[in-house]
């Protein structure tokens, strides 16, 4: 299963972006979805995660500003980001754990999408 992330870009502080992560392949369903980010010189950090059916968790730094969601029909995971701050600048990566139609477990990563927030 391959993941393709998109939606990053340059935005002013206070603005919004929606990241998308589309999964392709023989997919039965998602069990866990997550967005991570990595800023230059920093370790990768977990930003938001969701465990089906509807349990979500957020890092304190993005709580109430970011929302993780999914569209099962489109095999897509989203990260809606609002009230963006310069410290949100990073490469954002999606991660999905799920099952294929053949019953195998997959754990896939997207390639990352750059988010830059100017002050």
């Amino acid at each position: 299963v391959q993941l393709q992330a998109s939606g990053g870009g340059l935005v002013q502080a206070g603005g919004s972006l929606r990241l998308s992560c589309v999964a392709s392949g023989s997919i039965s369903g998602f069990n866990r979805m997550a967005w991570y980010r990595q800023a230059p010189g920093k370790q990768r950090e977990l930003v938001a995660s969701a465990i089906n059916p509807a349990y979500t968790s957020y890092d304190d730094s993005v709580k109430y500003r970011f929302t993780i969601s999914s569209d099962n029909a489109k095999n897509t995971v989203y990260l809606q980001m609002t009230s963006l701050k310069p410290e949100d600048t990073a490469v954002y990566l999606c991660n999905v754990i799920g099952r294929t139609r053949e019953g195998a477990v997959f754990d896939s990563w997207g390639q990352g999408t750059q988010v830059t927030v100017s002050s």
Side-chain angles (χ1 to χ4, degrees):
V1 173
Q2 294 186 326
L3 303 183
Q4 180 71 41
S6 62
L10 173 63
V11 64
Q12 287 189 331
S16 299
L17 284 174
R18 188 176 79 158
L19 306 183
S20 298
C21 178
V22 180
S24 60
S26 177
I27 300 166
S28 174
F30 297 164
N31 296 112
R32 179 184 182 271
M33 303 157 284
W35 286 93
Y36 292 76
R37 67 185 179 189
Q38 187 162 20
K42 294 187 177 181
Q43 288 190 332
R44 184 176 298 182
E45 61 177 355
L46 177 63
V47 174
S49 63
I51 297 176
N52 280 329
Y55 176 79
T56 58
S57 177
Y58 299 92
D59 183 82
D60 285 345
S61 65
V62 306
K63 198 173 290 185
Y64 311 120
R65 299 189 298 122
F66 290 10
T67 303
I68 187 171
S69 63
S70 65
D71 184 331
N72 293 336
K74 296 182 178 180
N75 288 331
T76 301
V77 181
Y78 302 101
L79 184 68
Q80 179 68 50
M81 306 186 293
T82 63
S83 302
L84 282 162
K85 305 175 182 180
E87 51 264 43
D88 294 320
T89 295
V91 173
Y92 284 71
L93 305 104
C94 56
N95 170 243
V96 175
I97 299 173
R99 284 196 175 273
T100 67
R101 284 194 285 268
E102 292 75 23
V105 174
F106 68 86
D107 183 349
S108 298
W109 289 84
Q111 84 287 7
T113 184
Q114 176 70 46
V115 172
T116 303
V117 184
S118 63
S119 57

